[in-house]
Amino acid sequence: MIARYLNSAVDDQTRETLCAIAGDRVQFDAPLAEHTSWKIGGPADAFVVVEREAELADVMRLCFKRKIPWFVLGSGSNVLVGDGGMRGIVLRLGGEFASIELDATPAEVVVKAGSSASMALLTARAASLGAVGIGSLAGIPGSVGGSLRMNAGTDREIGDFVREVWVQSPARPVAQAVSVQYFYRHTTLARDAVVSSVTLAFERGDPAHVREEMRRRLVRRKNTQPLQLPNAGSCFRNPEGDKAARLIEAAGAKGWREGGAEVSALHPNFINNLGGASAKDVATLLAKVRRAVYERFSVELQLEVHLVGVFTDDTTS
Ligand SMILES: Cc1cc2nc3c(=O)[nH]c(=O)nc-3n(C[C@H](O)[C@H](O)[C@H](O)COP(=O)(O)OP(=O)(O)OC[C@H]3O[C@@H](n4cnc5c(N)ncnc54)[C@H](O)[C@@H]3O)c2cc1C
């Protein structure tokens, strides 16, 4: 059991309002571990699944009016949630937000996707229409909204294909289009913006060729990434002109363990949960790896994964 040493930021009145908005899609003191790819994370005061723009707008208004802390979780494939959990409201989008609409002309493939649509499904469907470049987004296990926030990708990134982004926020709860700039694993998207939908546009090519390229990339991932274990992909950003995985291996950190967490031998920029790892185990390992790389190469690795919630040494109740 995790110690609840901080009071809930969700009072009875807020609980009632949340239930009125989202009914049985609201859970209180909800463990977040099951919602993250690391399978790690303490409880959220409230975990709410919103299925329509109007519902999201209502929750945004509530947060604004009562100054309630909130956080939006996508597929949870790039976050380390602290063992002490998260105060306030954790939102997840579903229902209508999972839609994917495709439109193809001889020249281009246009994909309009809700923010909770899975990148796996989006890439597979776009590839079948011959979306050139979609292979660079294949195998990313996130949602469209989380991928947009992270500017996820490989040799090309999602930002390269964005035509339109729609967001909602506590101050402006009704969906509106915004302009976003994209950088390596981050964007200028406002901190309080929840992406509600995204339109991507791709040049159109030969579907068979595009699908084959995607298949090759997925096979390569299988051979070079520990996909059968819980992790969050690459933990650190690649420093300019180098690879974080190379530096970590050369610093001798491959295979290091802390509690239930391990630096992957297959891909040293991944940290695996071997079973029962705590956020503290992973955070400790991240700090040790970072220090080892700095001592050996004077390179300060920057985190790619987002550390969120309450990190604590106290894991007893
Ligand atoms: C096996 C594996 C392989 C991976 N490979 C890659 C890769 O090749 N390239 C790559 O870039 N990443 C990779 N990742 C990391 C991860 O999949 C991406 O960063 C992904 O895009 C995150 O999406 P998510 O929905 O899981 O976001 P989450 O992890 O849920 O959230 C990430 C951030 O986005 C924010 N967010 C989520 N949804 C929204 C929204 N609707 N509006 C606004 N903000 C939002 C969250 O608040 C959080 O700050 C990999 C991860 C794993 C586990």
Side-chain angles (χ1 to χ4, degrees), residues 37 71-79 93 115 139-143 145-147 149-154 185 189 191 193-195 221 225 227 231-234 270 304 306:
S37 60
F71 178 79
V72 59
L73 193 64
S75 301
S77 65
N78 204 56
V79 287
L93 279 55
S115 143
I140 294 173
S143 66
S147 298
R149 161 77 67 197
M150 298 303 305
N151 191 22
T154 50
R185 300 298 173 268
L189 191 70
R191 269 315 321 157
V194 177
V195 175
R221 268 184 195 268
Q225 299 181 354
L227 300 183
N231 57 57
S234 291
F270 282 44
E304 177 172 327
H306 290 184

Side-chain angles (χ1 to χ4, degrees), residues 221-243:
R221 268 184 195 268
K222 236 183 180 163
N223 294 333
T224 56
Q225 299 181 354
L227 300 183
Q228 69 294 349
L229 287 169
N231 57 57
S234 291
C235 293
F236 297 100
R237 298 177 187 179
N238 288 323
E240 187 85 42
D242 211 333
K243 296 269 184 212

Side-chain angles (χ1 to χ4, degrees), residues 240-297:
E240 187 85 42
D242 211 333
K243 296 269 184 212
R246 188 197 75 78
L247 293 168
I248 294 166
E249 180 165 4
K254 195 163 103 167
W256 279 3
R257 284 195 188 189
E258 186 72 34
E262 172 209 55
V263 177
S264 167
L266 189 58
H267 193 311
N269 200 12
F270 282 44
I271 289 183
N272 296 321
N273 177 357
L274 299 176
S278 62
K280 188 185 163 207
D281 292 339
V282 175
T284 304
L285 209 42
L286 287 170
K288 287 186 173 172
V289 165
R290 202 163 178 264
R291 192 178 325 124
V293 168
Y294 184 74
E295 281 171 3
R296 180 79 199 274
F297 301 106

Side-chain angles (χ1 to χ4, degrees), residues 50-293:
V50 289
E51 296 193 332
R52 283 172 282 285
E53 281 188 13
E55 275 178 13
L56 176 56
D58 284 345
V59 177
M60 296 278 92
R61 284 188 196 99
L62 175 72
C63 293
F64 187 74
K65 199 169 138 205
R66 299 202 193 143
K67 298 190 171 57
I68 302 163
W70 61 276
F71 178 79
V72 59
L73 193 64
S75 301
S77 65
N78 204 56
V79 287
L80 180 61
V81 178
D83 298 316
M86 297 189 79
R87 302 294 68 81
I89 298 171
V90 174
L91 275 169
R92 173 167 265 180
L93 279 55
E96 289 178 5
F97 291 107
S99 68
I100 301 176
E101 290 165 32
L102 294 116
D103 190 20
T105 66
E108 63 177 11
V109 177
V110 177
V111 184
K112 181 162 194 246
S115 143
S116 71
S118 94
M119 288 298 289
L121 190 57
L122 183 153
T123 50
R125 290 186 58 191
S128 68
L129 289 178
V132 173
I134 195 74
S136 53
L137 306 180
I140 294 173
S143 66
V144 167
S147 298
L148 194 287
R149 161 77 67 197
M150 298 303 305
N151 191 22
T154 50
D155 50 331
R156 296 185 74 185
E157 297 157 330
I158 192 168
D160 295 342
F161 306 105
V162 170
R163 184 165 282 180
E164 213 168 49
V165 179
W166 289 74
V167 301
Q168 298 178 238
S169 71
R172 305 185 76 169
V174 176
Q176 56 168 334
V178 288
S179 131
V180 180
Q181 285 173 281
Y182 300 89
F183 304 97
Y184 172 53
R185 300 298 173 268
H186 67 109
T187 69
T188 57
L189 191 70
R191 269 315 321 157
D192 70 344
V194 177
V195 175
S196 45
S197 68
V198 174
T199 303
L200 306 174
F202 303 85
E203 189 189 316
R204 192 166 191 201
D206 171 24
H209 180 82
V210 170
R211 275 203 308 266
E212 174 54 22
E213 194 220 336
M214 187 157 134
R215 193 195 61 79
R216 266 189 281 114
R217 284 175 181 259
L218 290 171
V219 168
R220 212 180 77 202
R221 268 184 195 268
K222 236 183 180 163
N223 294 333
T224 56
Q225 299 181 354
L227 300 183
Q228 69 294 349
L229 287 169
N231 57 57
S234 291
C235 293
F236 297 100
R237 298 177 187 179
N238 288 323
E240 187 85 42
D242 211 333
K243 296 269 184 212
R246 188 197 75 78
L247 293 168
I248 294 166
E249 180 165 4
K254 195 163 103 167
W256 279 3
R257 284 195 188 189
E258 186 72 34
E262 172 209 55
V263 177
S264 167
L266 189 58
H267 193 311
N269 200 12
F270 282 44
I271 289 183
N272 296 321
N273 177 357
L274 299 176
S278 62
K280 188 185 163 207
D281 292 339
V282 175
T284 304
L285 209 42
L286 287 170
K288 287 186 173 172
V289 165
R290 202 163 178 264
R291 192 178 325 124
V293 168

Side-chain angles (χ1 to χ4, degrees), residues 2-6 29-33 40-45 80-88 90 279 307-312 314:
I2 302 297
R4 295 300 307 276
Y5 62 94
L6 279 176
D29 299 316
L32 291 172
I40 291 173
D45 290 340
L80 180 61
V81 178
D83 298 316
M86 297 189 79
R87 302 294 68 81
V90 174
L307 270 54
V308 297
V310 179
F311 283 75
T312 168
D314 180 5

